[in-house]
Amino acid sequence: HTGDSRAVLGVRRKGAEGQPWRVRDLTRDHKPDLPDEKARIELCGAQVVTVGNPPNTTCRVYSAQQAWPSINMSRSLGDLHAHSQGLSAEAEVMFLERPWDPATEDAVLVLGSDGIWDVFHGESAVEMAWHSS
């Protein structure tokens, strides 16, 4: 996983329609203001700047005399300019041992980009995916 895509897993007891899902984020968004991500970016000479007006602010990666738009993530695949600013193409990987019991639980996995997660919480996305199946 890289960038601001996200994976969430919803689990609940089989046949428990109407009961809430236990929702777990399986990834973290790679944002430039995370301490470890920011350190790598600054080590390469770029800056992490906050833009916008509260409560609608975001952090972006910027370099002096930059001729391309700033980016609001700290990892990216295939962005030639961003990699010169300390963005990484290295994926973060998480291994889970049996995250649910298929014999007794229903599970929904939702993979999506920031276009989903900027609008919906994990619980809402899992519920919509369940009802569309």
Side-chain angles (χ1 to χ4, degrees):
H1 153 72
T2 61
D4 54 4
S5 60
R6 187 180 311 159
V8 301
L9 177 68
V11 177
R12 73 176 173 200
R13 189 174 36 83
K14 280 191 181 287
E17 290 288 328
Q19 295 297 310
W21 292 90
R22 294 184 317 277
V23 177
R24 176 179 179 187
D25 286 344
L26 300 180
T27 59
R28 71 173 181 153
D29 293 357
H30 294 121
K31 296 297 186 182
D33 57 334
L34 293 170
D36 56 329
E37 303 291 297
K38 184 176 182 179
R40 185 186 63 249
I41 290 164
E42 290 176 343
L43 192 62
C44 288
Q47 300 174 1
V48 175
V49 297
T50 302
V51 297
N53 296 313
N56 300 314
T57 61
T58 189
C59 292
R60 294 186 167 271
V61 179
Y62 178 78
S63 298
Q65 283 95 34
Q66 179 173 314
W68 58 89
S70 58
I71 192 165
N72 69 345
M73 64 187 81
S74 57
R75 295 186 189 218
S76 175
L77 296 174
D79 189 320
L80 300 177
H81 295 299
H83 296 292
S84 69
Q85 297 175 294
L87 273 72
S88 173
E90 183 178 332
E92 282 186 326
V93 178
M94 176 193 299
F95 293 96
L96 301 172
E97 284 199 39
R98 199 164 176 134
W100 81 95
D101 179 2
T104 62
E105 296 174 311
D106 290 320
V108 175
L109 177 66
V110 180
L111 308 171
S113 69
D114 61 338
I116 291 174
W117 307 120
D118 288 348
V119 180
F120 296 107
H121 294 286
E123 293 82 2
S124 300
V126 164
E127 189 68 31
M128 282 189 294
W130 177 258
H131 285 294
S132 69
S133 64

